[in-house]
Amino acid sequence: MEERRWGKILIFCVVVLVFKAGLWRSRELYDQYVFGPRHSALFVFGDSLADAGNNNYLNTSIVARANFPPYGKSFFGTATGRFSDGRTVFDFLATRLEVPFPAPWFQPRVDWDISYGANFASAGSGLLNSTSQQYPNVVPFDRQVNEFTRIFYMLETESDYPAEKLLSSSIIAINIGANDIAGYFMANTSLRRNISPGEFIDSLLNDYKNHLLSLHEAGARKFVIMGISPLGCSPGMRFAGLSRWRGGCDQTVNEQFQQFNAGLKNLVLYLNKTLRVSTLIYVNTYDILMNIIHNGRFLGFSESASACCGEGPFNAAVGCGQTNLGHKRIEGSVCTDPRQYVFWDGFHPTERAQLMIADQIWGGDSSVFPFNLRTLTRVTAPPYVPSYTA
């Protein structure tokens, strides 16, 4: 009699477990039916290397825009505002994540789904507001971060996808800092008399840390933090330093970029230890692009010092598609095959070079720390729970 009673209890427990498992599986299937397969949204922040056209809508200087020919010619067939002949690193990352290219956040609102992400980047921007003030209406990094803080509530009101689940699986990709060093600090003689490069870089990294903490508080959990590229070897910097460096790389700028990158990698290590529920990866963009520059011919490039689009020494004296020599209309020439060039214009890589960088971010080994983006997508983060109300 006792054995029969325990047998009934055991059967009851098994039935309950099977029922609960069925409910869980049914819920999972229901979510996939209603919301589609689980995906990671991509939110992009930064400067001209990341801008997908935001500055088109911000009434800023033509120097901080790329919404004119021949930009975009290799892929889009028209200028989109990207500083490339086609796609950028972040477009290729979106393809790897199987989401649409993140739309420019500052464009007039049209029918685009923010549950797949957005692009907040603005050419000419920096970690410091004073860096961005060199060009009117450029969006500094702190405003880009502030715009992201609205995402949770917009997802709740404008999207059918669960906001908590989406933010915890979203990828936050950031490329920022070069303009602060090369465009602001190096050009500001009075500032350089009062503060050393090391002190300036430390202050930048402290600002960077605070912005990352703000993104974390707003729900960001997975970060791709890109180091500064070796822009001292870009055509624009080679041209600017002709008298000093004789056409070589600007070593002073590159050394400061490397100092910033070393601190940035340490910051990623620190935040991975302290935030716990968030995961950050650091991308050694400097070495990735430097390898492409130094080994260009082995990788299939015929030119790694001059730009594909421009005029003058290194095709950088006149900007790509620009007319800036008095009243005389001069447009930079365009090479026949951008795929043979590492750099598209004076400071930005071609689509092909950007694809190589994206491939390293997605599946690289030594160039990303502590692991690559493909691995990051598999990391499970706790759902975001907002600590404040709108």
Side-chain angles (χ1 to χ4, degrees), residues 57-124:
Y57 309 97
L58 297 175
N59 192 31
T60 188
S61 166
I62 190 172
V63 179
R65 286 186 280 120
N67 59 342
F68 46 84
Y71 285 97
K73 68 183 293 289
S74 295
F75 181 78
F76 300 99
T78 186
T80 63
R82 291 167 171 82
F83 285 78
S84 169
D85 59 309
R87 290 160 290 185
T88 68
V89 167
F90 305 94
D91 294 322
F92 289 117
L93 295 183
T95 300
R96 298 295 187 276
L97 294 168
E98 299 183 2
V99 298
F101 299 162
W105 178 259
F106 296 98
Q107 69 178 343
R109 291 305 300 273
V110 293
D111 187 22
W112 54 277
D113 186 355
I114 62 170
S115 72
Y116 287 108
N119 186 307
F120 301 92
S122 177

Side-chain angles (χ1 to χ4, degrees), residues 44-48 50-55 106 119-123 125 139 144:
V44 179
F45 302 78
D47 50 29
S48 58
D51 193 346
N54 279 305
N55 282 11
F106 296 98
N119 186 307
F120 301 92
S122 177
S125 68
V139 183
Q144 296 178 33

